[in-house]
Amino acid sequence: MSAEAERRAAWRASLAVGLAVSAYGISFGALAVASGLDIVQACVLSLVMFSGGSQFALIGVLASGGVAAGPAAIAGATLLGLRNGLYAIRVSPIVGPGWAKRLLAGHLTIDESTAVATAQPTLASQRIGFWATGAIIFVGWNLMTLVGAVLGDLLGDVRQFGLDAAAGAAFLGLVWPRLRALQPVAVAVGAAVVAAVLLPVVPQGVPVLIAALVAVAVGVPNLFGARATSTDPAEDATTTTREQR
């Protein structure tokens, strides 16, 4: 494949992934309003946090426990967002030198930008994949968050439309494609069992936080999947990083 064809392929992948993920921002905006945030707060959260999984984690806990669950919500979202640090190690050679460029790249280092970038065959196409995907999703996600927040505010209680279940469905959608080997299955099952057992006996929001800690404890040693392989580029990037350290 020629260099020009590789660049076009990177742009096509970035556009396809970017548009699909951006549309998902409508759900976040509506759920954020249903969780007690106003339109401005929902939009600022997307602008500043810009990590879909962590954002859903935050509003999911807030929705179940209100303001009292705030510390658990923040802690859970932070733990979930730590994966981006591993992605940053992997994409650092792609981004290249320059503190200003790296600072911007840090905000755009998400699952999708890492996956599209690392799936490209050359450094030039990897850079297109990273920057194009990150920029498209950043703009699209924030616009769709605004649309979803406005719609959610107009509709009032979005639970009557079933949108209160979307956060759980979103997490299932994020987790399901990764359950291809014993290690991720062990992490998911361990965290789910702990959360289910603790749910009736501890304050709201705490089961999510403890389950996240269990997931880290089971996942970091990689006891069940040291030799496992995956077809998910983002997951491969994380695995490669661990092996290089």
Side-chain angles (χ1 to χ4, degrees):
M1 183 183 295
S2 67
E4 181 61 28
E6 290 171 348
R7 287 193 290 269
R8 286 198 300 267
W11 275 108
R12 285 195 300 269
S14 299
L15 189 61
V17 172
L19 292 178
V21 173
S22 296
Y24 194 42
I26 294 179
S27 295
F28 172 75
L31 286 169
V33 171
S35 301
L37 303 182
D38 59 31
I39 296 175
V40 174
Q41 289 171 330
C43 292
V44 170
L45 186 60
S46 276
L47 283 168
V48 175
M49 182 175 283
F50 188 54
S51 179
S54 296
Q55 291 178 229
F56 276 107
L58 181 67
I59 64 169
V61 177
L62 289 177
S64 64
V67 177
I74 294 172
T78 300
L79 286 173
L80 188 58
L82 288 177
R83 72 193 189 282
N84 290 0
L86 293 176
Y87 295 163
I89 297 173
R90 177 63 181 86
V91 302
S92 179
I94 297 175
V95 173
W99 68 267
K101 182 167 59 175
R102 285 177 174 269
L103 184 63
L104 177 59
H107 200 53
L108 299 181
T109 301
I110 55 177
D111 297 323
E112 295 79 13
S113 61
T114 302
V116 174
T118 55
Q120 307 310 313
T122 64
L123 180 59
S125 58
Q126 287 174 349
R127 286 176 173 167
I128 292 174
F130 176 81
W131 290 108
T133 304
I136 291 170
I137 294 178
F138 182 79
V139 174
W141 179 267
N142 282 282
L143 288 175
M144 291 300 100
T145 294
L146 174 60
V147 171
V150 171
L151 290 176
D153 189 56
L154 293 175
L155 292 174
D157 186 4
V158 298
R159 289 176 294 182
Q160 60 183 315
F161 302 101
L163 288 179
D164 57 318
F171 275 113
L172 182 60
L174 290 171
V175 170
W176 188 260
R178 289 165 171 76
L179 302 181
R180 301 190 183 101
L182 181 59
Q183 175 66 19
V185 170
V187 172
V189 171
V193 169
V194 169
V197 170
L198 293 178
L199 191 59
V201 297
V202 298
Q204 290 179 321
V206 176
V208 175
L209 176 57
I210 297 178
L213 293 174
V214 171
V216 171
V218 177
V220 170
N222 200 27
L223 299 176
F224 302 99
R227 312 302 297 178
T229 59
S230 170
T231 58
D232 186 340
E235 188 172 330
D236 289 343
T238 304
T239 302
T240 301
T241 299
R242 289 198 190 103
E243 292 174 350
Q244 290 175 342
R245 293 177 68 184

